[in-house]
Amino acid sequence: MTQQIGELAPPNRLMLTPGPSSMDPRVYRALAAPLVGHLDPWFKGCMDDTQVLMRQIFQTENRLTMPLSASGSGGIEASVVNTLEEGDEAIICVNGVFSERMAVIASHTPAKVTKVEAPYGKPVDAEDVRRAGKGRKIKIVGLAQGETSSGVLTQIADFRKVADELGALLVVDTVASLAAVPLHVDRERVDICFSGTQKAISAPPGMSPITVSPRAEEVFRTRKTKVQSWYFDLTTAMNYWGKDRLYHHTPPVSLIYALREAMRIVMEEGLEARWERHRVNQLALIAGIEAMGLELLVKKPADRLPTVTAVMIPDGIDDAKVRNQLLDEFNIEIAGGLGPLKAKIWRVGLMGHCSQKAYVLLFLAAMEKVLIDQGLRVPSGAGVGAAVQSYTHAHSEAAVVSR
Ligand SMILES: Cc1ncc(COP(=O)(O)O)c(C=O)c1O
């Protein structure tokens, strides 16, 4: 009963993980701003700003665009429970733990769920979805643009085409890709798109930006049955985020401040510059990793998700020992594999604020030291050297493009 708990003093980590990513100091300052009520007239303006910025980042005019008071998994849940009801069919493209999660959550609805799968490390083939849906009435086709468990990028366009043929809505998880990878919700006609705040937006975890097309809104309006979740029923949640600003639940006001500031930073940089930054930093990271003699899980460069690089753990090297030494000696956190990839890969995240040249070079130098200590023969300085070369090459390329 007399135990004294000390003041909170978390270590200052460099989070090169697949989320959360480290945050800009401006976002910390926004978090510490004075709390106001969620119906305060001033806060309503802050909500307007949040929605304006979110539409810019999703590149959409969708009315129904808002942050859900939930982590990224809440975005999955909202997408499937609002669309699926008794008698419906869904096709979910599964190529990793998070796209599998979409299938699992969809299986909690009364709809029939078909998984179309690809091995971890590859995107699902849109042709397989076409085959699976042929002659059936499909309500949604779901996929993850960025599959964080394996570092795989899926190109949306082919799936839009197939969803059109099947008369289905297209649901896209951009938790690991929004603000890092090209995405145009309106132009690519994504019907429901959701993300997480803790990855390439570099805000704290705990919110899920979501946007819904007018066509999907119409599907919500014409449901025959109630949405199975009260909390995630988007039509009632929009009473608060819509023009009436009516109480629905108490939102995390301070997280909304932080998200607003993080999104301001995204738009100050510009989406295209940000996409390019993520691309160039991952190329340098990959050059360094390969020069150290390590292999990547995702073999085809076009399939690599710029925010998460999956590195095969060499034989005889202990996954946890490497990650622990990086943390203890360099304050750098990277992630291990999930599910069937546990102890087989490391996942290095370069997301949002963390996708920086200085961090790539620091990581490669630290990794060299750790791998040598763990008994792997690594050519001295090769990782950093190859990354420097990659940056030099990228800059000359960029100069050519801009001329
Ligand atoms: C692609 C993807 N979808 C969904 C999620 C779930 O998000 P959260 O952990 O914020 O609930 C994650 C988390 O890493 C993810 O990477």
Side-chain angles (χ1 to χ4, degrees):
M1 291 298 280
T2 54
Q3 191 188 354
Q4 295 271 319
I5 303 297
E7 191 180 345
L8 189 72
N12 205 353
R13 306 284 195 213
L14 174 58
M15 287 187 289
L16 302 184
T17 68
S21 58
S22 305
M23 301 192 309
D24 189 286
R26 279 170 53 185
V27 180
Y28 285 105
R29 286 200 292 276
L31 265 178
L35 195 63
V36 297
H38 55 286
L39 298 174
D40 187 297
W42 179 86
F43 188 63
K44 290 177 185 174
C46 182
M47 291 168 69
D48 289 339
D49 299 342
T50 303
Q51 287 177 293
V52 166
L53 287 161
M54 200 170 284
R55 288 192 185 98
Q56 289 171 356
I57 294 175
F58 275 126
Q59 304 216 61
T60 185
E61 302 282 326
N62 288 340
R63 181 192 80 96
L64 206 167
T65 302
M66 64 185 181
L68 293 171
S69 309
S71 72
S73 304
I76 308 180
E77 184 119 11
S79 304
V80 303
V81 298
N82 282 276
T83 46
L84 298 177
E85 52 186 329
E86 187 74 49
D88 288 340
E89 288 203 43
I91 291 182
I92 311 295
C93 304
V94 174
N95 63 338
V97 169
F98 294 102
S99 42
E100 174 77 39
R101 183 172 295 179
M102 193 189 283
V104 169
I105 296 177
S107 75
H108 285 239
T109 73
K112 177 167 186 252
V113 180
T114 302
K115 293 198 284 184
V116 175
E117 300 185 68
Y120 284 26
K122 290 190 174 163
V124 167
D125 187 340
E127 197 48 47
D128 291 342
V129 176
R130 181 173 284 119
R131 226 171 284 126
K134 199 160 188 229
R136 291 159 58 188
K137 195 165 174 349
I138 305 296
K139 189 78 165 290
I140 64 168
V141 171
L143 62 92
Q145 184 187 33
E147 176 45 78
T148 326
S149 63
S150 54
V152 171
L153 176 70
T154 290
Q155 306 296 339
I156 295 172
D158 291 346
F159 293 87
R160 176 66 270 177
K161 214 160 155 235
V162 175
D164 278 339
E165 289 166 23
L166 300 175
L169 298 175
L170 183 64
V171 175
V172 178
D173 174 339
T174 62
V175 171
S177 51
L178 185 68
V181 173
L183 172 78
H184 304 82
V185 164
D186 285 359
R187 208 190 302 158
E188 296 175 275
R189 293 190 300 110
V190 178
D191 290 296
I192 304 180
C193 191
F194 60 87
S195 190
T197 44
Q198 77 274 29
K199 306 223 180 201
I201 295 175
S202 290
M207 301 212 82
S208 176
I210 190 164
T211 188
V212 175
S213 71
R215 183 169 164 232
E217 267 201 76
E218 184 55 27
V219 168
F220 298 173
R221 255 195 304 274
T222 53
R223 284 178 67 99
K224 294 183 212 64
T225 55
K226 267 193 201 162
V227 176
Q228 73 192 67
S229 161
W230 177 87
Y231 196 71
F232 288 119
D233 181 337
L234 291 174
T235 52
T236 51
M238 255 324 256
N239 292 338
Y240 180 57
W241 282 98
K243 65 176 173 10
D244 295 337
R245 298 284 192 245
L246 298 175
Y247 168 75
H248 177 262
H249 64 273
T250 310
V253 170
S254 303
L255 290 187
I256 294 170
Y257 292 168
L259 174 59
R260 177 186 179 279
E261 189 59 17
M263 292 195 298
R264 258 166 41 80
I265 293 171
V266 171
M267 293 315 298
E268 277 169 22
E269 180 176 11
L271 287 173
E272 288 187 3
R274 202 172 174 93
W275 299 336
E276 179 64 4
R277 172 162 63 85
H278 281 82
R279 191 186 73 81
V280 166
N281 284 325
Q282 191 199 34
L283 285 182
L285 175 70
I286 288 174
I289 284 170
E290 290 184 331
M292 284 198 286
L294 302 174
E295 280 182 33
L296 301 180
L297 172 72
V298 183
K299 303 297 176 215
K300 212 171 134 196
D303 294 342
R304 290 177 188 150
L305 176 64
T307 48
V308 183
T309 304
V311 182
M312 304 296 297
I313 300 177
D315 287 343
I317 295 296
D318 187 301
D319 169 22
K321 279 191 183 154
V322 168
R323 287 189 287 121
N324 290 342
Q325 194 184 338
L326 277 171
L327 198 65
D328 294 342
E329 202 174 323
F330 295 97
N331 245 333
I332 296 175
E333 186 185 354
I334 64 166
L338 295 173
L341 294 173
K342 190 169 164 51
K344 296 209 168 69
I345 59 166
W346 291 304
R347 292 177 302 144
V348 184
L350 294 177
M351 296 182 150
H353 186 69
C354 286
S355 172
Q356 295 197 31
K357 194 190 297 179
Y359 297 157
V360 170
L361 298 177
L362 171 64
F363 168 74
L364 290 168
M367 193 66 170
E368 177 180 325
K369 160 82 168 59
V370 170
L371 289 173
I372 290 170
D373 288 353
Q374 297 296 329
L376 194 75
R377 288 166 65 103
V378 178
S380 182
V384 170
V388 169
Q389 282 296 316
S390 173
Y391 281 121
T392 311
H393 182 64
H395 287 151
S396 58
E397 258 181 13
V400 171
V401 172
S402 64
R403 248 183 251 133

